[in-house]
Amino acid sequence: MLPHLALKPKPVEVPQKENTIRLASCNGGQSLVPGEPDGPCVKTDIPGPKSKALMGELSKSLFLGSIQFLGDYDKSIGNYLVDADDNVLLDTYTQISTVPIGYNHPELLKVFQNEHNLKTMVNRPALGVFPGVDWPKKMEHILKEVSPGLPHITTMMCGSCSNENAFKNIFMAYRAKTRGGGDFTEEEKQSCVINQPPGSPKLSILSFIGGFHGRTLGALSSTHSKAIHKIDVPAFDWPIAHFPKYKYPLADNCRENVEEDHKCLAEVEDLMEKYKKKDIPVAGVIVEPIQSEGGDNHASPEFFQCLQKICKKNGAYLLIDEVQTGCGPTGKFWCHEYFNLECPPDIVTFSKKMQMAGYFQTEEMSPKKPYRIFNTWMGDPGKAILLEAVLKVIKSQNLLEQVEKSGRRLLCGLHDLQSEFPCHLNSARGRGTFAAITAESPALRDDILKRMKKKGVQGGGCGLQSIRLRPALVFQEHHVDIFLDIFREIMKEIK
Amino acid sequence: MLPHLALKPKPVEVPQKENTIRLASCNGGQSLVPGEPDGPCVKTDIPGPKSKALMGELSKSLFLGSIQFLGDYDKSIGNYLVDADDNVLLDTYTQISTVPIGYNHPELLKVFQNEHNLKTMVNRPALGVFPGVDWPKKMEHILKEVSPGLPHITTMMCGSCSNENAFKNIFMAYRAKTRGGGDFTEEEKQSCVINQPPGSPKLSILSFIGGFHGRTLGALSSTHSKAIHKIDVPAFDWPIAHFPKYKYPLADNCRENVEEDHKCLAEVEDLMEKYKKKDIPVAGVIVEPIQSEGGDNHASPEFFQCLQKICKKNGAYLLIDEVQTGCGPTGKFWCHEYFNLECPPDIVTFSKKMQMAGYFQTEEMSPKKPYRIFNTWMGDPGKAILLEAVLKVIKSQNLLEQVEKSGRRLLCGLHDLQSEFPCHLNSARGRGTFAAITAESPALRDDILKRMKKKGVQGGGCGLQSIRLRPALVFQEHHVDIFLDIFREIMKEIK
């Protein structure tokens, strides 16, 4: 039976209307990153002639399919990405959501002018065996400072590796429970080396349609956003449930959306039962707090609360994948803080804006024998130094507050736009500046993104037909206004 | 039928005896990294009191099982690793074989004093979408310069990700061949999203017992060196063949070793047949040129030549994993250069000493649609800058020649040692300074490594009972002599 689900989940906040006058021209001295231009400036097609020439060079070494243009990262500053042809773009996509405090932030440029930090980066140790003498302090004063209530930390290099190793942690903890504290059997030791049970057991991770958790083979088996990521690649037979698909505006569709939660949660329970019977029990569940690549799909706090309860009831561990949502873009450091979970999730993975990657975990999750969760580098201390500087800036400039402010203005503007262009735009949604709006068709979405670039806004898509906003944490109200003004101009052209 | 296999493969070279007088004290000014001490110096137990205190701190954040001591990377220099207690260790293990030109090499410390390089590192772009304007030049002048004859490059972050994505490339190329140039079917597009065939096909990668290719779920399914890496983790049902186990000395066991090659190659063919019948055809074969983690297991050039022929005959792609062997430690830039293969392998993966990771591939391997092999960062341009400096030093200081010289002296010394202590040591083997020797038992191996550390040598083990040598490329003859002298002292104590 489903845990209790309130009939009226608190909807994702709809902000109050605010003034949306364009402030670009009165930006003098107010930017959080000194030296930002007043607004975007486009001089050529994008990619322009210089980008095209460089792409010609690059095509000798690699397949170019996904490359849009070449960036000039010496000239880029704050929220503005400058390309090879000196076009200045307001960046709302930030290198797939990885730039936390803008380009060339002075505090980041400073860190490797310190000799100790420089040496830390150049002499990259195998952190699992011979970490540097300052590693304990770094763990304590950087990662522990932002812990989502979980005592243990595992450092890694990227989101995929973090999820893959979190899966391994889940499998190990699950089997330890089954084993009841006993040691490995000889049969387990011998069979695992040749990929056979009982040493390599049939266990699964439940994931959701629309979820994106990375592209290595394990992570990809839990990723279900687009076929092009997965086609031709063998996958594990793991259960996949539907993630809620809400009707917007949320306030007008409470009952339907609660029913949608119910349906999806019931499916999770059914799948757990089904895979238990198939003898591939669900050891863990992986979920994004907001499905990002899959289309900025939100679910209610109650959905996540119930999901956690179902996991506990069924002995499965809950992994919240905060790779894209972590480090502040939603206005809280971790997006799942919005969900008022009864207790922290079992594992929280991070990467992207955090510069370094890895996960926080419960003590139960930590394997009790060495070398089980291990690899050569176990992350990169050079990235910890960057993260340290990022966290200091977030604190000193109150960037989470800034994100909330900018986010309110942004969501308000998106709501205005969908009211003005109801045939073309719908489902404005977001937390902080982590926001999206859906176009009436994939073709219209692509057209809007193309037109945005022409007018100096670098934007990104997600799902089939949504536009995703992933600005840096230094995206201020005047940047919001520039973005909205350009968006409005485009919609008028289209209309 | 097996391809022709010569009866007398050229054995791994056994070097001529050379003078092994300890030169540590006359090292003045001759070191390739200025500022190196004359020899190791141990003042405390290892871990010493400061390391132990720091490990206490660290244990609040993570499970310490594998941590040996904390390093002081400000003080470490060249071949000498200094720990938290100021013990100075001659490092023959180099952070699991990842340090190419020693600690704090002046050429590495210089690179981020350049403002452009500093900005490149701080503004880390998504290389698959918006690479920096100098990325084409970097590809051409860094990676292409050391290409193993393969025209295309994919950059990644670590060895596991490189192998995982190389697998994906293999699967995609294999299916493209089957598909005969046609587009994906609707059924493939829909089934892959839920992990089912035909979109997620049953395909396999053949690997070898003793091989190590990483610890993410796909890479781990091809890794078979130690049970502790694999136990409790679900794996793909992929074929696993035996890797040759040679009898040493090679020159006295030619016939047996050729038979061993024959047996293993026949098993590869049998497994390809078996998995074809099981409807999980072998799309690719992954192999290390020297099985490293698995015990420094060598195979003859003829073994690799025949393996390549078998792959071609069966339509499987050959992936040579040079993560540990690449970047010069064997005396050639790529270890498989020793094998005189008929043509380059289809894929060569790299990481570790290269600082950045990824793979070289044939043009056939490159997917023809965008976003198939893709992730957020696609590597790290900061590491390309380090690699650039490393390659310059390798060239300007003729380090491959140095490795050959030091390697000859090292292997010669190991042969002497096994002649002097035939009950305790055997099977000295290696290419360049990538060398190993086997102890008569796992306990003796562990005892030798422990004693080495007490006398100031940081060493590593591999397989069940071997000692592996993985010095940096700046490991000179006088370092070899220090190592051998200490090794001899230990063996005398044990005797």
Side-chain angles (χ1 to χ4, degrees):
Chain A
M1 210 189 80
L2 274 180
H4 172 73
L5 191 67
L7 258 179
K8 288 205 172 185
K10 194 177 152 212
V12 176
E13 291 78 0
V14 177
Q16 294 308 303
K17 197 170 169 176
E18 280 186 19
N19 178 17
T20 56
I21 296 168
R22 181 161 172 172
L23 294 174
S25 54
C26 50
N27 173 23
Q30 292 176 17
S31 170
L32 287 167
V33 185
E36 274 198 333
D38 280 349
C41 174
V42 178
K43 301 168 183 173
T44 73
D45 285 342
I46 300 176
K50 283 185 191 159
S51 266
K52 278 186 184 157
L54 290 166
M55 284 157 85
E57 286 301 306
L58 209 46
S59 68
K60 294 175 200 162
S61 308
L62 49 83
F63 172 63
L64 283 180
S66 54
I67 290 179
Q68 294 189 17
F69 57 77
L70 282 88
D72 189 327
Y73 297 102
D74 287 346
K75 294 178 185 161
S76 300
I77 180 85
N79 294 281
Y80 291 92
L81 168 57
V82 180
D83 79 357
D85 293 274
D86 279 338
N87 297 302
V88 179
L89 304 171
L90 179 68
D91 194 356
T92 67
Y93 186 52
T94 58
Q95 311 293 328
I96 319 180
S97 203
T98 62
V99 179
I101 54 173
Y103 297 101
N104 283 310
H105 196 290
E107 293 300 320
L108 291 184
L109 291 175
K110 251 188 236 168
V111 290
F112 293 112
Q113 284 162 7
N114 167 324
E115 198 187 330
H116 168 69
N117 287 351
L118 181 62
K119 286 184 168 182
T120 300
M121 194 187 41
V122 165
N123 301 297
R124 182 182 185 188
L127 291 168
V129 196
F130 318 104
V133 289
D134 56 353
W135 197 236
K137 265 210 186 102
K138 292 236 179 306
M139 295 291 260
E140 194 66 28
H141 297 304
I142 305 173
L143 285 176
K144 280 272 179 106
E145 287 285 311
V146 294
S147 165
L150 295 169
H152 279 212
I153 302 166
T154 303
T155 48
M156 289 281 152
M157 300 254 291
C158 71
S160 292
C161 290
S162 300
N163 283 330
E164 291 257 353
N165 281 281
F167 290 176
K168 285 172 59 180
N169 247 319
I170 285 173
F171 294 133
M172 289 170 190
Y174 187 90
R175 291 283 299 151
K177 230 170 22 186
T178 324
R179 208 177 270 122
D183 205 352
F184 310 133
T185 63
E186 264 318 300
E187 197 192 356
E188 283 178 325
K189 285 187 211 168
Q190 284 170 20
S191 57
C192 76
V193 175
I194 51 166
N195 294 6
Q196 298 299 319
S200 299
K202 302 273 178 208
L203 290 175
S204 62
I205 299 289
L206 184 146
S207 53
F208 291 90
I209 290 288
F212 183 96
H213 305 289
R215 291 157 168 273
T216 43
L217 269 64
L220 193 65
S221 289
S222 69
T223 286
H224 319 282
S225 48
K226 295 188 181 83
I228 198 75
H229 305 156
K230 289 176 68 78
I231 213 157
D232 295 345
V233 185
F236 288 103
D237 177 13
W238 289 353
I240 308 154
H242 285 85
F243 192 78
K245 273 205 169 158
Y246 289 160
K247 282 196 181 143
Y248 286 83
L250 292 175
D252 302 344
N253 295 283
C254 262
R255 183 165 292 274
E256 290 91 328
N257 292 338
V258 169
E259 271 167 24
E260 178 69 4
D261 277 355
H262 266 290
K263 209 177 71 182
C264 294
L265 291 163
E267 192 187 9
V268 168
E269 290 217 288
D270 286 350
L271 282 168
M272 284 186 173
E273 200 53 43
K274 187 179 157 198
Y275 272 75
K276 201 166 147 192
K277 281 188 188 145
K278 263 180 110 167
D279 227 11
I280 315 179
V282 173
V285 171
I286 184 168
V287 67
E288 291 159 281
I290 300 171
Q291 282 193 336
S292 307
E293 172 73 17
D296 273 37
N297 307 317
H298 288 251
S300 67
E302 286 74 12
F303 172 81
F304 287 98
Q305 291 160 17
C306 288
L307 185 62
Q308 187 176 47
K309 286 198 180 87
I310 291 172
C311 284
K312 283 193 190 299
K313 203 178 92 184
N314 289 274
Y317 297 100
L318 178 61
L319 189 176
I320 306 248
D321 177 345
E322 292 255 18
V323 166
Q324 189 150 171
T325 46
C327 203
T330 66
K332 294 193 187 286
F333 198 86
W334 304 109
C335 182
H336 76 267
E337 291 175 56
Y338 282 103
F339 303 155
N340 297 313
L341 296 176
E342 181 168 84
C343 64
D346 300 291
I347 298 200
V348 174
T349 49
F350 59 87
S351 182
K352 292 199 187 249
K353 279 191 179 53
M354 295 279 279
Q355 308 302 302
M356 71 183 308
Y359 51 96
F360 295 93
Q361 78 235 63
T362 60
E363 203 177 333
E364 183 188 352
M365 280 289 132
S366 293
K368 304 298 172 279
K369 284 179 197 276
Y371 295 107
R372 301 198 72 195
I373 298 296
F374 186 86
N375 58 46
T376 296
W377 282 309
M378 301 292 290
D380 181 349
K383 304 299 180 211
I385 290 172
L386 287 171
L387 175 58
E388 186 175 27
V390 166
L391 295 180
K392 270 187 195 158
V393 172
I394 290 178
K395 213 167 176 178
S396 68
Q397 296 197 328
N398 291 318
L399 290 185
L400 295 188
E401 221 171 87
Q402 177 63 54
V403 167
E404 272 192 35
K405 274 192 245 168
S406 299
R408 274 196 299 273
R409 196 175 191 104
L410 177 62
L411 256 192
C412 184
L414 292 176
H415 280 279
D416 285 349
L417 278 164
Q418 74 183 16
S419 301
E420 291 168 50
F421 307 96
C423 301
H424 292 327
L425 297 173
N426 61 73
S427 310
R429 59 208 180 271
R431 292 190 185 275
T433 54
F434 198 102
I437 191 162
T438 301
E440 73 173 321
S441 71
L444 177 63
R445 190 271 308 269
D446 294 346
D447 185 36
I448 293 172
L449 287 177
K450 215 165 134 187
R451 286 170 189 258
M452 275 189 184
K453 196 177 276 171
K454 279 194 175 167
K455 290 184 190 288
V457 174
Q458 177 59 34
C462 63
L464 271 180
Q465 58 203 74
S466 291
I467 292 157
R468 61 172 146 180
L469 279 295
R470 298 289 187 271
L473 310 180
V474 291
F475 197 74
Q476 295 166 258
E477 288 98 319
H478 63 271
H479 302 112
V480 172
D481 294 338
I482 296 171
F483 168 76
L484 290 172
D485 282 359
I486 290 176
F487 202 162
R488 181 168 284 106
E489 278 173 32
I490 289 168
M491 295 316 297
K492 281 181 186 161
E493 285 170 15
I494 287 169
K495 203 178 182 184
Chain B
M1 210 191 75
L2 276 180
H4 172 72
L5 191 65
L7 259 179
K8 288 203 175 189
K10 195 177 152 211
V12 177
E13 291 77 1
V14 178
Q16 294 310 301
K17 196 169 169 177
E18 279 185 22
N19 179 18
T20 55
I21 296 167
R22 181 160 172 174
L23 294 173
S25 55
C26 51
N27 173 24
Q30 292 175 17
S31 170
L32 288 167
V33 185
E36 275 198 333
D38 279 349
C41 174
V42 178
K43 300 168 183 173
T44 73
D45 284 344
I46 300 176
K50 284 186 191 159
S51 265
K52 278 185 186 159
L54 291 165
M55 284 157 85
E57 287 301 305
L58 208 47
S59 68
K60 294 174 199 162
S61 308
L62 50 83
F63 172 63
L64 283 181
S66 55
I67 289 179
Q68 294 189 16
F69 57 77
L70 282 88
D72 189 327
Y73 297 103
D74 287 346
K75 293 179 186 162
S76 300
I77 179 85
N79 293 281
Y80 291 92
L81 168 56
V82 179
D83 79 357
D85 294 274
D86 279 339
N87 297 302
V88 179
L89 303 170
L90 179 67
D91 194 355
T92 67
Y93 187 51
T94 57
Q95 310 294 328
I96 320 182
S97 203
T98 62
V99 179
I101 55 173
Y103 297 101
N104 283 309
H105 196 289
E107 293 301 320
L108 291 183
L109 291 175
K110 251 188 235 168
V111 291
F112 293 110
Q113 285 163 5
N114 167 323
E115 199 186 330
H116 168 71
N117 286 351
L118 180 61
K119 287 184 167 180
T120 300
M121 196 188 39
V122 165
N123 301 298
R124 182 183 184 187
L127 290 169
V129 196
F130 318 105
V133 289
D134 57 353
W135 196 236
K137 265 210 185 102
K138 291 236 179 305
M139 295 292 260
E140 194 66 28
H141 296 305
I142 305 173
L143 285 175
K144 279 274 181 105
E145 287 285 311
V146 295
S147 164
L150 295 168
H152 280 213
I153 302 167
T154 303
T155 48
M156 289 281 152
M157 300 255 291
C158 70
S160 293
C161 290
S162 301
N163 283 330
E164 291 258 352
N165 281 282
F167 290 176
K168 286 173 59 181
N169 246 318
I170 285 172
F171 294 134
M172 289 169 190
Y174 187 90
R175 291 284 299 152
K177 228 169 25 184
T178 325
R179 208 176 269 123
D183 205 352
F184 310 131
T185 64
E186 263 318 301
E187 197 191 357
E188 282 178 325
K189 284 186 211 167
Q190 284 171 20
S191 57
C192 77
V193 174
I194 50 165
N195 294 5
Q196 298 300 318
S200 299
K202 301 274 178 208
L203 290 175
S204 62
I205 298 289
L206 184 144
S207 53
F208 290 91
I209 290 288
F212 183 96
H213 305 289
R215 289 157 168 274
T216 44
L217 270 64
L220 194 64
S221 289
S222 69
T223 286
H224 318 281
S225 48
K226 295 188 181 82
I228 198 76
H229 305 156
K230 289 178 67 79
I231 213 157
D232 294 345
V233 185
F236 287 104
D237 176 13
W238 289 354
I240 308 155
H242 284 84
F243 192 76
K245 272 202 168 159
Y246 290 159
K247 281 195 182 142
Y248 287 82
L250 292 176
D252 302 343
N253 295 283
C254 261
R255 182 165 291 275
E256 290 91 327
N257 292 338
V258 169
E259 272 167 24
E260 177 70 5
D261 277 356
H262 265 290
K263 209 175 70 183
C264 294
L265 290 164
E267 192 187 8
V268 169
E269 289 217 288
D270 286 351
L271 282 168
M272 285 186 173
E273 199 53 41
K274 187 180 157 200
Y275 273 74
K276 200 166 147 190
K277 280 186 190 149
K278 261 180 113 167
D279 226 11
I280 316 179
V282 173
V285 171
I286 185 168
V287 67
E288 292 159 278
I290 301 171
Q291 282 193 336
S292 306
E293 172 73 17
D296 273 37
N297 308 317
H298 288 252
S300 66
E302 286 74 13
F303 172 82
F304 287 97
Q305 290 160 16
C306 288
L307 185 62
Q308 186 176 46
K309 286 197 179 87
I310 292 172
C311 284
K312 282 194 189 300
K313 203 177 92 182
N314 289 275
Y317 297 100
L318 178 62
L319 189 177
I320 306 251
D321 176 345
E322 293 256 18
V323 166
Q324 189 151 168
T325 46
C327 203
T330 65
K332 293 192 188 289
F333 198 86
W334 304 109
C335 182
H336 76 267
E337 291 174 56
Y338 281 104
F339 304 155
N340 297 312
L341 296 175
E342 184 169 81
C343 63
D346 301 292
I347 298 199
V348 174
T349 49
F350 58 88
S351 181
K352 291 201 186 248
K353 280 192 178 55
M354 295 278 280
Q355 309 302 303
M356 71 182 309
Y359 52 95
F360 295 94
Q361 78 234 63
T362 60
E363 203 176 334
E364 183 188 352
M365 281 289 131
S366 294
K368 304 297 172 282
K369 285 179 196 276
Y371 294 106
R372 301 197 74 196
I373 298 295
F374 186 86
N375 58 47
T376 297
W377 282 310
M378 300 293 291
D380 181 349
K383 302 300 179 209
I385 290 171
L386 287 172
L387 176 58
E388 186 174 27
V390 167
L391 296 180
K392 269 187 195 158
V393 172
I394 290 178
K395 212 168 176 178
S396 68
Q397 296 197 327
N398 291 317
L399 290 185
L400 295 188
E401 221 171 89
Q402 177 63 54
V403 167
E404 271 194 34
K405 273 193 247 167
S406 299
R408 273 198 298 273
R409 196 174 189 104
L410 176 62
L411 255 193
C412 184
L414 292 175
H415 279 279
D416 284 351
L417 278 165
Q418 72 182 18
S419 302
E420 290 168 48
F421 306 96
C423 300
H424 293 327
L425 298 173
N426 61 74
S427 311
R429 58 207 181 274
R431 292 190 186 275
T433 54
F434 198 101
I437 192 163
T438 301
E440 72 173 320
S441 71
L444 177 63
R445 190 271 309 270
D446 294 346
D447 185 36
I448 294 172
L449 287 176
K450 215 166 135 187
R451 287 171 189 257
M452 274 189 185
K453 197 178 275 171
K454 279 192 174 167
K455 290 184 190 287
V457 173
Q458 176 59 35
C462 63
L464 273 180
Q465 57 202 73
S466 291
I467 292 158
R468 61 171 145 179
L469 279 296
R470 297 291 188 271
L473 311 180
V474 291
F475 197 74
Q476 296 166 258
E477 288 97 320
H478 64 272
H479 302 112
V480 172
D481 294 339
I482 295 171
F483 168 75
L484 290 172
D485 281 0
I486 290 176
F487 203 162
R488 181 167 285 106
E489 276 173 33
I490 289 169
M491 295 316 297
K492 281 182 186 161
E493 284 170 16
I494 287 170
K495 204 178 181 184

